[in-house]
Amino acid sequence: MKRKLIAAIGVAGMMVSIAACGGSDSGDKKDETKGGGDKSLTVWVMDGSAPKEWIDGVNKEFEAAHPGTKVKVEVQQWTDIQTKVTTALSEDTPPDVLELGNTQTTGYAVTGGLADLTADKDKLGYANWSKGMLPSAELDGKLYAAPWWAASRVVIYDKAAFKKAGVTPPKTRDEWIDGLKKLKASDAKSQPIYLPGQSWYVLAGFLWDEGGELAVKDGDKWKGGLATPQAAAAMNFYKELQSFSTAPKDKDEATPQQSVDVVPKGGVSSWIGLGWEAGGAIAAIEKAGKKADLGYFPIPGKTADKPGSVFFGGSNLAVSERSKNQELAKEWLAFVTNKKQLESYGTANKGGIIPVDPSAQVQPEAGSFAEAMVKVAEVGRITPITGGWANVETEPNPIKGYMTKVLKGEDPQKAGEEADKVIAERINQQ
């Protein structure tokens, strides 16, 4: 769910190339699965998305049901993934199936890089899918991916540190700040919260709580929403939280990776992260010979009756338009997203994901990350659904730049106006 794209102009140019190549050779495309040729599939999944034992089991079962087929899984890193995907989709031998962030999918669909799956809805189980996940996989009435899973961030905390400071999980923003003050007073050498300056998914939730938006439709065009009182209020609260952290103001949560590069070293009482990050931190802490005793609570809201809004991230699975084994790829896609596999996927992730088929939801354990996440599912939101949104997340991401400027003292209105110009330019590119 950390999405990075190459420069907007580069995306536009490269994606036009994809569209041109993909649209001109459809009549000559060969599906080698029909002629007894190569029946191999290359699948790209993102680091942390698919537990090895689960994906190995899925592919073993699929290969048994499709004699002669070999599925090759290649694990990708989130850093600069959009650059890599953009390049891969323009080549003659792209991966057959790709895991894409739910904020990326329409950006690739609008340019012709993804296969149209509309005619395959029944095979894919479309009727059983969560309607809340569908918008990120559809564009102009056509289906370009199968939503796979969704998740949201929660606050992860060190139980021992909270107990020492006399802090209990807060339910409001005010209680949250009071708790951070107690943590700071209890242990001056530790960070009450680790919060990098550019965790823009966290900021998005604060913005939604204030009634604002990252971008809004203005007639036939889109415009940025950061030069607003709502964005200023959200950023001011973020700034207050960040004052309790020594994390860099010009980096995101992956630079360095908070879960395995920062938290395991100690000195962090709490942080905001995803389920796979919590799991990674626990593993790293225990590998270092220490005890990991973490607790979880929803990001607090402005009032106790409702938790804070969160970015409802997730991943979709798509088939490359230029795949040489497109029909077999679609069969793999249908297989991996059926109820049985989704249930086993949820079990492998200890209930830490929300599957596309609600009936496949695994009941989370009490006190688990998943339990805290489920509590915020109803206040989950997603970034603007438009083909141009992926361009907004291009590095340098204007939202990140806005955050760093404000944290370093620049006026939120001025910084917001500068960011909105870039957002408008990029989001209106199709």
Side-chain angles (χ1 to χ4, degrees), residues 1-3 44-50 78 98-105 133 136-137 145-151 276 311-318 337 342 345 353-356 382:
M1 288 174 286
K2 309 170 191 72
R3 320 298 187 213
W44 280 11
V45 297
M46 301 310 302
D47 183 33
S49 289
W78 283 116
L98 308 89
E99 177 186 352
L100 302 172
N102 59 358
T103 64
Q104 299 172 345
T105 307
M133 296 186 193
S136 67
W148 189 14
W149 59 269
W276 67 266
F311 170 71
F312 206 30
S315 285
N316 299 336
L317 292 170
T337 56
L342 288 174
Y345 181 64
I353 54 92
I354 298 174
V356 64
I382 194 169

Side-chain angles (χ1 to χ4, degrees), residues 204-273:
F206 299 158
L207 177 58
W208 293 325
D209 281 345
E210 298 293 344
E213 298 288 346
L214 293 167
V216 294
K217 197 75 179 289
D218 184 20
D220 293 332
K221 298 289 185 179
W222 288 80
K223 66 179 182 180
L226 299 183
T228 62
Q230 293 87 353
M235 194 60 223
N236 284 335
F237 179 63
Y238 190 101
K239 187 174 185 178
E240 185 174 14
L241 284 177
Q242 217 273 329
S243 70
F244 291 94
S245 177
T246 59
K249 292 179 171 58
D250 59 352
K251 303 293 182 181
D252 62 19
E253 67 279 7
T255 316
Q257 174 50 246
Q258 59 184 8
S259 62
V260 295
D261 295 329
V262 178
V263 173
K265 294 179 181 179
V268 174
S269 297
S270 67
W271 46 295
I272 300 172

Side-chain angles (χ1 to χ4, degrees), residues 46-248:
M46 301 310 302
D47 183 33
S49 289
K52 188 177 186 306
E53 289 187 5
W54 177 81
I55 196 71
D56 287 348
V58 166
N59 289 331
K60 182 178 181 180
E61 189 174 344
F62 182 81
E63 290 169 358
H66 297 77
T69 295
K70 182 63 179 177
V71 182
K72 179 183 178 182
V73 175
E74 298 180 354
V75 178
Q76 306 298 318
Q77 301 300 315
W78 283 116
T79 303
D80 294 327
I81 184 59
Q82 294 190 16
T83 302
K84 190 170 185 178
V85 169
T86 298
T87 300
L89 291 177
S90 68
E91 297 175 340
D92 290 333
T93 55
D96 301 286
V97 181
L98 308 89
E99 177 186 352
L100 302 172
N102 59 358
T103 64
Q104 299 172 345
T105 307
T106 54
Y108 293 117
V110 77
T111 56
L114 306 181
D116 184 349
L117 304 177
T118 309
D120 303 283
K121 286 183 177 181
D122 290 343
K123 179 195 300 183
L124 293 172
Y126 180 94
N128 299 322
W129 292 352
S130 166
K131 299 302 180 286
M133 296 186 193
L134 276 179
S136 67
E138 295 183 311
L139 183 68
D140 297 331
K142 295 184 178 181
L143 183 69
Y144 289 96
W148 189 14
W149 59 269
S152 61
R153 290 164 174 78
V154 306
V155 181
I156 304 165
Y157 70 96
D158 183 330
K159 290 182 179 179
F162 269 52
K163 182 178 181 180
K164 178 183 176 182
V167 177
T168 56
K171 295 186 179 299
T172 67
R173 286 187 181 182
D174 289 341
E175 291 177 2
W176 196 6
I177 296 299
D178 287 342
L180 294 177
K181 291 178 179 177
K182 291 180 180 178
L183 287 163
K184 185 175 182 179
S186 174
D187 188 349
K189 294 182 179 180
S190 293
Q191 298 182 68
I193 185 170
Y194 179 83
L195 182 63
Q198 296 184 343
S199 293
W200 71 273
Y201 291 114
V202 176
L203 175 67
F206 299 158
L207 177 58
W208 293 325
D209 281 345
E210 298 293 344
E213 298 288 346
L214 293 167
V216 294
K217 197 75 179 289
D218 184 20
D220 293 332
K221 298 289 185 179
W222 288 80
K223 66 179 182 180
L226 299 183
T228 62
Q230 293 87 353
M235 194 60 223
N236 284 335
F237 179 63
Y238 190 101
K239 187 174 185 178
E240 185 174 14
L241 284 177
Q242 217 273 329
S243 70
F244 291 94
S245 177
T246 59

Side-chain angles (χ1 to χ4, degrees), residues 315-352:
S315 285
N316 299 336
L317 292 170
V319 174
S320 301
E321 171 61 18
R322 296 171 66 81
S323 166
K324 297 298 191 296
N325 289 322
Q326 198 173 103
E327 292 307 312
L328 185 63
K330 291 178 181 178
E331 289 184 33
W332 186 90
L333 195 62
F335 183 78
V336 83
T337 56
N338 67 34
K339 182 178 179 180
K340 174 187 174 183
Q341 301 303 342
L342 288 174
E343 287 178 339
S344 66
Y345 181 64
T347 299
N349 283 278
K350 298 181 179 179

